[in-house]
Amino acid sequence: AQTVTQSQPEMSVQEAETVTLSCTYDTSESDYYLFWYKQPPSRQMILVIRQEAYKQQNATENRFSVNFQKAAKSFSLKISDSQLGDAAMYFCAYRSLKMNYGGSQGNLIFGKGTKLSVKP
Amino acid sequence: DGGITQSPKYLFRKEGQNVTLSCEQNLNHDAMYWYRQDPGQGLRLIYYSQIVNDFQKGDIAEGYSVSREKKESFPLTVTSAQKNPTAFYLCASSIALAGGYYEQYFGPGTRLTVT
């Protein structure tokens, strides 16, 4: 079974600085998707960025970018020019391309999250 | 506006009572999901449904039940058999995009407190 590990329960960054959140995962599959979700205090889950495993190029969305290291099974999120509104829980998630019944395969598997604080 | 609605936002129940959480979507998505979120645990999958009148157990289905009679609706019942029902519950739906990619959209969640 696939697992997702976020080793940093909490992180802090100064406004306008850069911060990197870590995520590692374990899988025997070669094709899959990886995601970073943001959950602000409102608790609404918001998709930040996604990465297809078959793409070598790292995904980028404005101030958010990832460092995807497939061989190392690492998927870190870099937030540049941090803003107060970036303060939230951040979840790394894995999704297999397989759609098998009887379990969570084919669905999102989440890490336990990293709480990011942004200091003014 | 298209989206996912969950009601109510806060729900209180006495121990031993069954309670049903509502989830409605008008995105015309085929698949719907229920997750449970506990502090320090991330999101865990309870049930999912790929199509009307069909649903499958996720990782923590014990003590829960669902139905999928309509495409738009996927209610979750927390039964008295669920030992620790107090949690935040998130509903999601997804649509298949090109290349086998499914994007999940989340509702605002329901905070259930059982005393």
Side-chain angles (χ1 to χ4, degrees), chain A residues 39 44 47 50 95 103 107, chain B residues 33 37 48 102-103 106:
Chain A
Q39 188 180 42
Q44 176 74 52
L47 178 64
R50 74 169 186 263
R95 185 192 175 276
N107 299 300
Chain B
Y33 311 80
Q37 186 177 20
Y48 63 100
Y102 285 68
E103 176 135 1
F106 286 84

Side-chain angles (χ1 to χ4, degrees), chain A residues 33 35 37 39 42-45 47 50 91 95 97 99-105 107-108 110-112, chain B residues 9 33 35 37 40-43 45 48 50 54 56-57 59 88 90 99-104 106-108:
Chain A
Y33 289 97
F35 306 86
Y37 279 88
Q39 188 180 42
S42 67
R43 307 199 77 170
Q44 176 74 52
M45 293 288 284
L47 178 64
R50 74 169 186 263
F91 293 95
R95 185 192 175 276
L97 284 180
M99 292 295 297
N100 296 325
Y101 284 156
S104 60
Q105 217 170 359
N107 299 300
L108 288 173
F110 287 86
K112 294 185 176 182
Chain B
K9 189 172 180 66
Y33 311 80
Y35 293 91
Q37 186 177 20
Q41 290 290 330
L43 276 69
L45 183 67
Y48 63 100
Q50 301 291 344
D54 189 43
Q56 303 296 324
K57 293 182 179 180
D59 296 319
F88 186 66
L90 281 160
Y101 169 61
Y102 285 68
E103 176 135 1
Q104 282 199 15
F106 286 84

Side-chain angles (χ1 to χ4, degrees), chain B residues 81-98:
Chain B
Q82 169 49 234
K83 295 179 182 178
N84 296 297
T86 294
F88 186 66
Y89 291 88
L90 281 160
C91 178
S93 69
S94 70
I95 187 169
L97 300 175

